[in-house]
Amino acid sequence: MPPLVEPAAELTVDEVRRYSRHLIIPDVGMAGQKRLKNARVLCVGAGGLGSPALLYLAAAGVGTLGVIDFDVVDESNLQRQVIHGQSDVGRPKAESAADSVREINPLVNVVVHNEALTTDNVMEIFSGYDLIVDGTDNFATRYMVNDAAVLLGKPYVWGSIYRFDGQASVFWAEHGPCYRCLYPEPPPPGMVPSCAEGGVLGVLCASIGSIQVNEAIKLLAGIGEPLVGRLMIYDALEMTYRSVKVRKDPECVLCGKNPTVTSLLEDYEAFCGAVSEEAQEAASGSTITAADLKSMQDRGENVYVIDVREPNEYEIVSIPGAVLIPKGEFLNGSALERLPQDKKIVLHCKSGVRSAEVLAVVKNAGFSDAVHVGGGVLSWIKTVDPSLPAY
């Protein structure tokens, strides 16, 4: 493919010295390094994938690096988000990441977007960059990033991580498929656990993040064969890589022959269904607070508290008196016969999403007075027992 950007006019003596190991690679050389210097790359997210991506893009000499993130650094981030340190806990991630980038390479111009990426700002922000590196961890933002990139005609490098598994690809509708060609519809709510729910091996972020940077460099400099039309799948446990072809869908609603999506959606959260309609209906009028549950326990009410998270989450922190029955056992029906008929069922998870989905299953099974805890364990820690460890 042709280089994504034109080369800068020159490299300074300091830049030649800094990038000398690039310059002696025939495929990169002076021309390629000048293109990197002239490039404008935006990293969406300064978390697990954004951390290695930003560090290596800066080290490679990308002239302008943008970082957008609205979150703050939490201690639980430090296991994998290596761009932040202990002293950064509580700081905005975008600002912490920018400081690390400047320390790696003071020649890089860092643009900080300390805000959430939304339908109101995504088009304006993306328009100022040549390439997008997507390090997001939720489906709503992934679809929004894809749609904005396609509508603006920009390529972006995508990555995804979960436990020991990683994926990466390059989506560029002008030359191949877009994300919607691979995943036309988001998965059902609660079907795919997030890293916060299922965990992620910290070093996996480096493996996939560095692949994203490798693809970015190839696109910017116009070298090699980028992952356009290919999905790279990495299994860290088995230490295997495999590549799957992804074809452009001629019926794609966004980049197909007759697109029906010609502008950003009004609500990507609704499109991805943070909670299914059935779960929303079940939770309506059947949601209690963590404080409500504590009061019920203190009064000695006849309740049966069920934690629907995974065993490893339960080991980290649990609500006193809760019995662990993972969500999957409700979905396959095996848990229903274990529920007591003479007690009020109270469900909870980490934040309230999974327990709402299970609540719908339980209510359909005849437990009409069952309830779930809005906000889950996080709410319990915040409002009832702050001494418990967060995760």
Side-chain angles (χ1 to χ4, degrees), residues 82-148:
V82 295
I83 202 167
H84 314 295
Q86 186 65 40
S87 62
D88 295 314
V89 171
R91 293 185 64 201
K93 285 186 179 180
E95 295 179 7
S96 169
D99 286 347
S100 295
V101 165
R102 296 184 185 104
E103 180 65 23
I104 290 289
N105 190 346
L107 303 178
V108 172
N109 174 38
V110 189
V111 182
V112 175
H113 303 276
N114 188 13
E115 57 187 312
L117 190 67
T118 69
T119 53
D120 293 328
N121 63 18
V122 63
M123 299 294 277
E124 179 181 357
I125 292 174
F126 278 19
S127 64
Y129 295 90
D130 304 302
L131 178 67
I132 313 299
V133 175
D134 181 13
T136 57
D137 61 356
N138 66 86
F139 288 101
T141 308
R142 286 173 183 169
Y143 278 96
M144 180 175 64
V145 167
N146 176 77
D147 293 359

Short mmCIF file of all heavy atoms in Angstrom, two decimals, residues 82-148:
data_model
loop_
_atom_site.label_atom_id
_atom_site.label_comp_id
_atom_site.label_asym_id
_atom_site.label_seq_id
_atom_site.Cartn_x
_atom_site.Cartn_y
_atom_site.Cartn_z
N VAL A 82 1.43 -0.12 31.85
CA VAL A 82 2.80 0.19 32.27
C VAL A 82 3.22 1.63 31.97
O VAL A 82 4.32 2.04 32.36
CB VAL A 82 3.79 -0.78 31.61
CG1 VAL A 82 3.57 -2.20 32.10
CG2 VAL A 82 3.67 -0.73 30.07
N ILE A 83 2.38 2.39 31.32
CA ILE A 83 2.72 3.79 31.07
C ILE A 83 2.52 4.63 32.33
O ILE A 83 3.03 5.74 32.44
CB ILE A 83 1.89 4.35 29.90
CG1 ILE A 83 2.58 5.56 29.28
CG2 ILE A 83 0.46 4.69 30.34
CD1 ILE A 83 2.00 5.98 27.94
N HIS A 84 1.81 4.06 33.31
CA HIS A 84 1.55 4.75 34.57
C HIS A 84 2.36 4.11 35.70
O HIS A 84 2.69 2.92 35.65
CB HIS A 84 0.06 4.69 34.93
CG HIS A 84 -0.86 5.02 33.80
ND1 HIS A 84 -0.91 6.27 33.23
CD2 HIS A 84 -1.76 4.25 33.11
CE1 HIS A 84 -1.80 6.26 32.23
NE2 HIS A 84 -2.32 5.05 32.16
N GLY A 85 2.64 4.89 36.73
CA GLY A 85 3.36 4.39 37.90
C GLY A 85 2.58 4.63 39.18
O GLY A 85 1.50 5.23 39.16
N GLN A 86 3.13 4.17 40.29
CA GLN A 86 2.45 4.30 41.57
C GLN A 86 2.11 5.75 41.89
O GLN A 86 1.05 6.05 42.44
CB GLN A 86 3.34 3.71 42.68
CG GLN A 86 2.68 3.66 44.05
CD GLN A 86 1.49 2.71 44.11
OE1 GLN A 86 1.54 1.64 43.53
NE2 GLN A 86 0.43 3.12 44.79
N SER A 87 3.02 6.64 41.57
CA SER A 87 2.80 8.06 41.88
C SER A 87 1.70 8.68 41.02
O SER A 87 1.26 9.80 41.31
CB SER A 87 4.10 8.85 41.70
OG SER A 87 4.54 8.79 40.35
N ASP A 88 1.26 7.97 39.99
CA ASP A 88 0.22 8.50 39.11
C ASP A 88 -1.19 8.12 39.56
O ASP A 88 -2.17 8.58 38.97
CB ASP A 88 0.42 7.98 37.67
CG ASP A 88 1.70 8.49 37.04
OD1 ASP A 88 1.96 9.69 37.16
OD2 ASP A 88 2.43 7.66 36.46
N VAL A 89 -1.31 7.27 40.58
CA VAL A 89 -2.64 6.85 41.04
C VAL A 89 -3.47 8.07 41.41
O VAL A 89 -3.04 8.95 42.17
CB VAL A 89 -2.52 5.89 42.24
CG1 VAL A 89 -3.89 5.61 42.85
CG2 VAL A 89 -1.85 4.58 41.81
N GLY A 90 -4.66 8.15 40.83
CA GLY A 90 -5.55 9.29 41.06
C GLY A 90 -5.43 10.37 40.00
O GLY A 90 -6.30 11.25 39.92
N ARG A 91 -4.39 10.32 39.18
CA ARG A 91 -4.20 11.32 38.12
C ARG A 91 -5.00 10.93 36.88
O ARG A 91 -5.25 9.75 36.63
CB ARG A 91 -2.74 11.43 37.71
CG ARG A 91 -1.80 11.99 38.76
CD ARG A 91 -0.42 12.16 38.14
NE ARG A 91 -0.43 13.16 37.06
CZ ARG A 91 0.49 13.23 36.10
NH1 ARG A 91 1.47 12.34 36.06
NH2 ARG A 91 0.42 14.17 35.17
N PRO A 92 -5.40 11.90 36.06
CA PRO A 92 -6.02 11.57 34.77
C PRO A 92 -5.06 10.74 33.92
O PRO A 92 -3.87 11.06 33.81
CB PRO A 92 -6.28 12.94 34.14
CG PRO A 92 -6.39 13.87 35.30
CD PRO A 92 -5.40 13.35 36.31
N LYS A 93 -5.55 9.66 33.34
CA LYS A 93 -4.69 8.78 32.54
C LYS A 93 -4.05 9.50 31.37
O LYS A 93 -2.89 9.25 31.02
CB LYS A 93 -5.49 7.58 32.05
CG LYS A 93 -5.78 6.54 33.10
CD LYS A 93 -6.46 5.32 32.49
CE LYS A 93 -6.72 4.25 33.54
NZ LYS A 93 -7.39 3.06 32.96
N ALA A 94 -4.82 10.38 30.72
CA ALA A 94 -4.29 11.07 29.54
C ALA A 94 -3.08 11.92 29.92
O ALA A 94 -2.07 11.96 29.20
CB ALA A 94 -5.37 11.93 28.90
N GLU A 95 -3.13 12.59 31.06
CA GLU A 95 -2.03 13.44 31.50
C GLU A 95 -0.84 12.61 31.95
O GLU A 95 0.32 12.93 31.65
CB GLU A 95 -2.50 14.37 32.61
CG GLU A 95 -3.56 15.37 32.17
CD GLU A 95 -4.03 16.26 33.29
OE1 GLU A 95 -3.42 16.20 34.38
OE2 GLU A 95 -5.00 17.01 33.09
N SER A 96 -1.12 11.52 32.68
CA SER A 96 -0.04 10.63 33.10
C SER A 96 0.67 10.03 31.90
O SER A 96 1.91 9.99 31.85
CB SER A 96 -0.61 9.51 33.98
OG SER A 96 0.33 8.49 34.20
N ALA A 97 -0.11 9.59 30.91
CA ALA A 97 0.48 9.00 29.71
C ALA A 97 1.31 10.03 28.94
O ALA A 97 2.39 9.72 28.43
CB ALA A 97 -0.63 8.44 28.81
N ALA A 98 0.81 11.26 28.87
CA ALA A 98 1.54 12.30 28.14
C ALA A 98 2.90 12.57 28.77
O ALA A 98 3.90 12.75 28.07
CB ALA A 98 0.70 13.59 28.11
N ASP A 99 2.95 12.56 30.11
CA ASP A 99 4.23 12.78 30.79
C ASP A 99 5.21 11.66 30.46
O ASP A 99 6.40 11.90 30.25
CB ASP A 99 4.01 12.85 32.30
CG ASP A 99 3.37 14.16 32.73
OD1 ASP A 99 3.31 15.09 31.90
OD2 ASP A 99 2.90 14.24 33.87
N SER A 100 4.72 10.43 30.42
CA SER A 100 5.60 9.30 30.10
C SER A 100 6.11 9.37 28.67
O SER A 100 7.26 9.06 28.38
CB SER A 100 4.85 7.97 30.32
OG SER A 100 4.52 7.80 31.69
N VAL A 101 5.23 9.79 27.75
CA VAL A 101 5.63 9.93 26.36
C VAL A 101 6.73 10.98 26.23
O VAL A 101 7.73 10.77 25.52
CB VAL A 101 4.41 10.31 25.48
CG1 VAL A 101 4.86 10.81 24.11
CG2 VAL A 101 3.49 9.11 25.33
N ARG A 102 6.57 12.10 26.91
CA ARG A 102 7.58 13.16 26.84
C ARG A 102 8.91 12.70 27.43
O ARG A 102 9.99 13.11 26.98
CB ARG A 102 7.08 14.41 27.58
CG ARG A 102 5.84 15.04 26.96
CD ARG A 102 5.46 16.33 27.67
NE ARG A 102 4.21 16.88 27.15
CZ ARG A 102 3.03 16.80 27.77
NH1 ARG A 102 2.96 16.21 28.95
NH2 ARG A 102 1.95 17.31 27.22
N GLU A 103 8.84 11.83 28.44
CA GLU A 103 10.07 11.31 29.03
C GLU A 103 10.76 10.35 28.07
O GLU A 103 11.99 10.33 27.99
CB GLU A 103 9.74 10.60 30.35
CG GLU A 103 10.94 10.01 31.08
CD GLU A 103 11.92 11.07 31.56
OE1 GLU A 103 11.51 12.24 31.73
OE2 GLU A 103 13.11 10.73 31.75
N ILE A 104 9.98 9.56 27.35
CA ILE A 104 10.54 8.63 26.36
C ILE A 104 11.17 9.40 25.20
O ILE A 104 12.26 9.07 24.74
CB ILE A 104 9.44 7.70 25.83
CG1 ILE A 104 9.00 6.72 26.92
CG2 ILE A 104 9.90 6.94 24.58
CD1 ILE A 104 10.01 5.66 27.26
N ASN A 105 10.44 10.43 24.72
CA ASN A 105 10.92 11.15 23.54
C ASN A 105 10.43 12.60 23.58
O ASN A 105 9.29 12.90 23.20
CB ASN A 105 10.43 10.48 22.26
CG ASN A 105 11.09 11.03 21.02
OD1 ASN A 105 11.73 12.09 21.05
ND2 ASN A 105 10.93 10.34 19.90
N PRO A 106 11.27 13.52 24.02
CA PRO A 106 10.86 14.93 24.10
C PRO A 106 10.66 15.58 22.73
O PRO A 106 10.15 16.71 22.66
CB PRO A 106 12.03 15.58 24.85
CG PRO A 106 13.19 14.68 24.60
CD PRO A 106 12.63 13.30 24.51
N LEU A 107 11.03 14.87 21.66
CA LEU A 107 10.85 15.43 20.33
C LEU A 107 9.43 15.25 19.81
O LEU A 107 9.06 15.82 18.79
CB LEU A 107 11.84 14.78 19.35
CG LEU A 107 13.32 14.87 19.72
CD1 LEU A 107 14.16 14.14 18.68
CD2 LEU A 107 13.75 16.32 19.83
N VAL A 108 8.63 14.45 20.53
CA VAL A 108 7.26 14.18 20.11
C VAL A 108 6.32 15.26 20.63
O VAL A 108 6.41 15.68 21.80
CB VAL A 108 6.80 12.80 20.62
CG1 VAL A 108 5.31 12.59 20.35
CG2 VAL A 108 7.61 11.70 19.98
N ASN A 109 5.44 15.72 19.78
CA ASN A 109 4.40 16.66 20.19
C ASN A 109 3.20 15.86 20.71
O ASN A 109 2.60 15.09 19.96
CB ASN A 109 3.98 17.53 19.00
CG ASN A 109 2.79 18.42 19.33
OD1 ASN A 109 2.68 18.94 20.43
ND2 ASN A 109 1.88 18.59 18.37
N VAL A 110 2.89 16.01 21.99
CA VAL A 110 1.80 15.25 22.60
C VAL A 110 0.57 16.12 22.72
O VAL A 110 0.64 17.24 23.26
CB VAL A 110 2.20 14.72 23.99
CG1 VAL A 110 1.13 13.75 24.50
CG2 VAL A 110 3.54 14.03 23.96
N VAL A 111 -0.53 15.62 22.23
CA VAL A 111 -1.82 16.33 22.33
C VAL A 111 -2.71 15.56 23.30
O VAL A 111 -3.01 14.38 23.06
CB VAL A 111 -2.51 16.45 20.96
CG1 VAL A 111 -3.81 17.23 21.09
CG2 VAL A 111 -1.57 17.13 19.96
N VAL A 112 -3.10 16.19 24.38
CA VAL A 112 -3.89 15.54 25.42
C VAL A 112 -5.37 15.86 25.25
O VAL A 112 -5.76 17.03 25.17
CB VAL A 112 -3.42 15.98 26.82
CG1 VAL A 112 -4.31 15.38 27.91
CG2 VAL A 112 -1.97 15.58 27.04
N HIS A 113 -6.17 14.80 25.16
CA HIS A 113 -7.62 14.94 25.14
C HIS A 113 -8.15 14.30 26.42
O HIS A 113 -8.46 13.11 26.44
CB HIS A 113 -8.23 14.26 23.91
CG HIS A 113 -7.69 14.74 22.60
ND1 HIS A 113 -8.18 15.87 21.97
CD2 HIS A 113 -6.70 14.26 21.81
CE1 HIS A 113 -7.53 16.05 20.83
NE2 HIS A 113 -6.62 15.09 20.71
N ASN A 114 -8.22 15.08 27.47
CA ASN A 114 -8.65 14.55 28.77
C ASN A 114 -10.18 14.60 28.84
O ASN A 114 -10.78 15.40 29.57
CB ASN A 114 -8.03 15.37 29.90
CG ASN A 114 -8.28 14.75 31.26
OD1 ASN A 114 -8.70 13.60 31.38
ND2 ASN A 114 -8.03 15.52 32.30
N GLU A 115 -10.80 13.74 28.06
CA GLU A 115 -12.26 13.74 27.94
C GLU A 115 -12.72 12.40 27.39
O GLU A 115 -11.92 11.60 26.89
CB GLU A 115 -12.71 14.86 26.99
CG GLU A 115 -12.08 14.75 25.60
CD GLU A 115 -12.38 15.96 24.72
OE1 GLU A 115 -13.56 16.35 24.65
OE2 GLU A 115 -11.43 16.50 24.12
N ALA A 116 -13.99 12.15 27.52
CA ALA A 116 -14.57 10.93 26.95
C ALA A 116 -14.77 11.11 25.45
O ALA A 116 -15.09 12.22 24.99
CB ALA A 116 -15.90 10.62 27.62
N LEU A 117 -14.56 10.05 24.70
CA LEU A 117 -14.83 10.09 23.27
C LEU A 117 -16.32 9.83 23.07
O LEU A 117 -16.85 8.80 23.49
CB LEU A 117 -14.01 9.02 22.55
CG LEU A 117 -13.98 9.08 21.02
CD1 LEU A 117 -13.24 10.32 20.56
CD2 LEU A 117 -13.32 7.83 20.45
N THR A 118 -17.01 10.77 22.44
CA THR A 118 -18.46 10.67 22.28
C THR A 118 -18.84 10.98 20.83
O THR A 118 -18.01 11.42 20.03
CB THR A 118 -19.20 11.66 23.20
OG1 THR A 118 -18.94 13.01 22.76
CG2 THR A 118 -18.72 11.51 24.65
N THR A 119 -20.10 10.78 20.53
CA THR A 119 -20.59 11.11 19.19
C THR A 119 -20.51 12.61 18.93
O THR A 119 -20.53 13.04 17.77
CB THR A 119 -22.03 10.63 19.01
OG1 THR A 119 -22.84 11.14 20.09
CG2 THR A 119 -22.11 9.11 19.02
N ASP A 120 -20.42 13.41 19.98
CA ASP A 120 -20.36 14.87 19.81
C ASP A 120 -18.96 15.35 19.42
O ASP A 120 -18.83 16.40 18.79
CB ASP A 120 -20.79 15.57 21.11
CG ASP A 120 -22.25 15.35 21.45
OD1 ASP A 120 -23.06 15.22 20.50
OD2 ASP A 120 -22.58 15.30 22.65
N ASN A 121 -17.92 14.58 19.78
CA ASN A 121 -16.56 15.08 19.52
C ASN A 121 -15.71 14.16 18.65
O ASN A 121 -14.63 14.56 18.21
CB ASN A 121 -15.83 15.35 20.84
CG ASN A 121 -15.63 14.10 21.69
OD1 ASN A 121 -15.73 12.97 21.22
ND2 ASN A 121 -15.35 14.30 22.98
N VAL A 122 -16.16 12.93 18.39
CA VAL A 122 -15.30 11.96 17.73
C VAL A 122 -14.91 12.38 16.32
O VAL A 122 -13.74 12.24 15.92
CB VAL A 122 -15.95 10.56 17.71
CG1 VAL A 122 -17.26 10.55 16.92
CG2 VAL A 122 -14.99 9.51 17.15
N MET A 123 -15.82 12.96 15.57
CA MET A 123 -15.50 13.34 14.19
C MET A 123 -14.48 14.48 14.15
O MET A 123 -13.54 14.45 13.36
CB MET A 123 -16.78 13.74 13.45
CG MET A 123 -17.82 12.64 13.34
SD MET A 123 -17.29 11.25 12.33
CE MET A 123 -17.67 11.88 10.70
N GLU A 124 -14.66 15.44 15.03
CA GLU A 124 -13.74 16.58 15.06
C GLU A 124 -12.35 16.14 15.51
O GLU A 124 -11.34 16.54 14.94
CB GLU A 124 -14.27 17.65 16.01
CG GLU A 124 -13.37 18.88 16.12
CD GLU A 124 -13.90 19.93 17.07
OE1 GLU A 124 -15.00 19.74 17.62
OE2 GLU A 124 -13.20 20.94 17.28
N ILE A 125 -12.30 15.29 16.54
CA ILE A 125 -11.00 14.83 17.04
C ILE A 125 -10.29 13.96 16.02
O ILE A 125 -9.10 14.16 15.72
CB ILE A 125 -11.18 14.08 18.38
CG1 ILE A 125 -11.62 15.05 19.48
CG2 ILE A 125 -9.88 13.37 18.78
CD1 ILE A 125 -11.95 14.38 20.80
N PHE A 126 -10.99 13.00 15.44
CA PHE A 126 -10.37 12.10 14.46
C PHE A 126 -9.87 12.84 13.23
O PHE A 126 -8.87 12.44 12.62
CB PHE A 126 -11.38 11.02 14.01
CG PHE A 126 -11.48 9.85 14.95
CD1 PHE A 126 -11.05 9.94 16.27
CD2 PHE A 126 -12.04 8.65 14.53
CE1 PHE A 126 -11.17 8.88 17.14
CE2 PHE A 126 -12.15 7.57 15.39
CZ PHE A 126 -11.71 7.68 16.70
N SER A 127 -10.56 13.91 12.86
CA SER A 127 -10.20 14.63 11.62
C SER A 127 -8.80 15.23 11.69
O SER A 127 -8.20 15.54 10.66
CB SER A 127 -11.23 15.72 11.32
OG SER A 127 -11.23 16.71 12.33
N GLY A 128 -8.27 15.39 12.90
CA GLY A 128 -6.95 15.99 13.04
C GLY A 128 -5.81 14.99 12.99
O GLY A 128 -4.65 15.38 13.20
N TYR A 129 -6.10 13.72 12.70
CA TYR A 129 -5.07 12.69 12.72
C TYR A 129 -5.08 11.87 11.44
O TYR A 129 -6.10 11.74 10.77
CB TYR A 129 -5.27 11.77 13.93
CG TYR A 129 -5.08 12.49 15.25
CD1 TYR A 129 -6.15 13.09 15.90
CD2 TYR A 129 -3.82 12.61 15.82
CE1 TYR A 129 -5.98 13.79 17.09
CE2 TYR A 129 -3.63 13.29 17.02
CZ TYR A 129 -4.71 13.88 17.65
OH TYR A 129 -4.54 14.56 18.81
N ASP A 130 -3.91 11.29 11.13
CA ASP A 130 -3.77 10.44 9.95
C ASP A 130 -4.22 9.01 10.22
O ASP A 130 -4.72 8.32 9.33
CB ASP A 130 -2.31 10.40 9.48
CG ASP A 130 -1.75 11.78 9.21
OD1 ASP A 130 -2.34 12.49 8.37
OD2 ASP A 130 -0.74 12.14 9.84
N LEU A 131 -4.01 8.56 11.45
CA LEU A 131 -4.23 7.16 11.80
C LEU A 131 -4.74 7.07 13.23
O LEU A 131 -4.30 7.82 14.11
CB LEU A 131 -2.90 6.39 11.66
CG LEU A 131 -2.90 4.90 12.03
CD1 LEU A 131 -3.75 4.11 11.03
CD2 LEU A 131 -1.47 4.37 12.07
N ILE A 132 -5.64 6.12 13.46
CA ILE A 132 -6.19 5.89 14.79
C ILE A 132 -5.70 4.53 15.28
O ILE A 132 -5.74 3.54 14.54
CB ILE A 132 -7.74 5.90 14.77
CG1 ILE A 132 -8.28 7.10 13.97
CG2 ILE A 132 -8.29 5.87 16.19
CD1 ILE A 132 -7.88 8.44 14.50
N VAL A 133 -5.27 4.47 16.53
CA VAL A 133 -4.94 3.20 17.19
C VAL A 133 -5.98 2.98 18.28
O VAL A 133 -6.08 3.78 19.22
CB VAL A 133 -3.52 3.22 17.79
CG1 VAL A 133 -3.26 1.93 18.56
CG2 VAL A 133 -2.48 3.38 16.68
N ASP A 134 -6.76 1.94 18.11
CA ASP A 134 -7.91 1.71 18.99
C ASP A 134 -7.52 0.78 20.14
O ASP A 134 -7.27 -0.40 19.94
CB ASP A 134 -9.05 1.10 18.17
CG ASP A 134 -10.30 0.86 19.02
OD1 ASP A 134 -10.36 1.39 20.14
OD2 ASP A 134 -11.21 0.15 18.55
N GLY A 135 -7.50 1.33 21.35
CA GLY A 135 -7.21 0.53 22.53
C GLY A 135 -8.38 0.46 23.48
O GLY A 135 -8.20 0.29 24.69
N THR A 136 -9.59 0.58 22.95
CA THR A 136 -10.78 0.59 23.80
C THR A 136 -11.13 -0.82 24.28
O THR A 136 -10.69 -1.82 23.71
CB THR A 136 -11.99 1.17 23.04
OG1 THR A 136 -12.21 0.41 21.85
CG2 THR A 136 -11.72 2.60 22.64
N ASP A 137 -11.96 -0.88 25.32
CA ASP A 137 -12.29 -2.17 25.92
C ASP A 137 -13.79 -2.40 26.03
O ASP A 137 -14.24 -3.23 26.82
CB ASP A 137 -11.66 -2.28 27.31
CG ASP A 137 -12.17 -1.21 28.28
OD1 ASP A 137 -12.95 -0.33 27.85
OD2 ASP A 137 -11.78 -1.26 29.46
N ASN A 138 -14.57 -1.67 25.25
CA ASN A 138 -16.02 -1.90 25.27
C ASN A 138 -16.57 -1.78 23.86
O ASN A 138 -16.03 -1.06 23.01
CB ASN A 138 -16.72 -0.92 26.22
CG ASN A 138 -16.64 0.51 25.74
OD1 ASN A 138 -17.46 0.98 24.95
ND2 ASN A 138 -15.62 1.24 26.21
N PHE A 139 -17.65 -2.51 23.61
CA PHE A 139 -18.16 -2.61 22.25
C PHE A 139 -18.77 -1.30 21.74
O PHE A 139 -18.66 -0.98 20.56
CB PHE A 139 -19.19 -3.73 22.16
CG PHE A 139 -18.58 -5.10 22.26
CD1 PHE A 139 -18.61 -5.82 23.44
CD2 PHE A 139 -17.94 -5.65 21.17
CE1 PHE A 139 -18.03 -7.07 23.54
CE2 PHE A 139 -17.34 -6.90 21.24
CZ PHE A 139 -17.39 -7.61 22.44
N ALA A 140 -19.40 -0.55 22.62
CA ALA A 140 -20.02 0.71 22.18
C ALA A 140 -18.98 1.64 21.57
O ALA A 140 -19.18 2.22 20.49
CB ALA A 140 -20.73 1.39 23.35
N THR A 141 -17.84 1.80 22.24
CA THR A 141 -16.80 2.69 21.72
C THR A 141 -16.15 2.10 20.48
O THR A 141 -15.79 2.84 19.55
CB THR A 141 -15.74 2.96 22.80
OG1 THR A 141 -16.39 3.40 23.99
CG2 THR A 141 -14.78 4.04 22.34
N ARG A 142 -15.99 0.78 20.43
CA ARG A 142 -15.39 0.15 19.25
C ARG A 142 -16.22 0.42 18.00
O ARG A 142 -15.68 0.74 16.94
CB ARG A 142 -15.26 -1.36 19.47
CG ARG A 142 -14.15 -1.75 20.43
CD ARG A 142 -14.19 -3.23 20.73
NE ARG A 142 -13.17 -3.61 21.71
CZ ARG A 142 -13.12 -4.77 22.30
NH1 ARG A 142 -14.03 -5.71 22.00
NH2 ARG A 142 -12.18 -5.05 23.19
N TYR A 143 -17.52 0.28 18.10
CA TYR A 143 -18.37 0.54 16.94
C TYR A 143 -18.35 2.02 16.57
O TYR A 143 -18.36 2.37 15.39
CB TYR A 143 -19.80 0.07 17.21
CG TYR A 143 -19.98 -1.42 16.99
CD1 TYR A 143 -19.92 -2.32 18.03
CD2 TYR A 143 -20.20 -1.93 15.70
CE1 TYR A 143 -20.07 -3.68 17.83
CE2 TYR A 143 -20.36 -3.29 15.49
CZ TYR A 143 -20.29 -4.16 16.55
OH TYR A 143 -20.43 -5.51 16.34
N MET A 144 -18.30 2.90 17.57
CA MET A 144 -18.25 4.33 17.28
C MET A 144 -16.93 4.68 16.59
O MET A 144 -16.92 5.46 15.62
CB MET A 144 -18.42 5.14 18.56
CG MET A 144 -18.37 6.64 18.33
SD MET A 144 -18.70 7.60 19.83
CE MET A 144 -17.29 7.13 20.84
N VAL A 145 -15.81 4.13 17.09
CA VAL A 145 -14.50 4.37 16.46
C VAL A 145 -14.53 3.90 15.01
O VAL A 145 -14.08 4.60 14.11
CB VAL A 145 -13.39 3.65 17.25
CG1 VAL A 145 -12.10 3.63 16.44
CG2 VAL A 145 -13.16 4.34 18.59
N ASN A 146 -15.05 2.71 14.79
CA ASN A 146 -15.11 2.17 13.44
C ASN A 146 -15.94 3.05 12.52
O ASN A 146 -15.53 3.40 11.42
CB ASN A 146 -15.71 0.76 13.46
CG ASN A 146 -15.89 0.18 12.07
OD1 ASN A 146 -14.96 -0.26 11.44
ND2 ASN A 146 -17.13 0.20 11.58
N ASP A 147 -17.12 3.42 12.99
CA ASP A 147 -18.03 4.20 12.14
C ASP A 147 -17.42 5.55 11.80
O ASP A 147 -17.49 6.01 10.65
CB ASP A 147 -19.37 4.38 12.84
CG ASP A 147 -20.13 3.06 12.98
OD1 ASP A 147 -19.62 2.03 12.52
OD2 ASP A 147 -21.24 3.08 13.56
N ALA A 148 -16.83 6.21 12.80
CA ALA A 148 -16.23 7.52 12.55
C ALA A 148 -15.06 7.40 11.57
O ALA A 148 -14.90 8.23 10.67
CB ALA A 148 -15.76 8.14 13.86
#
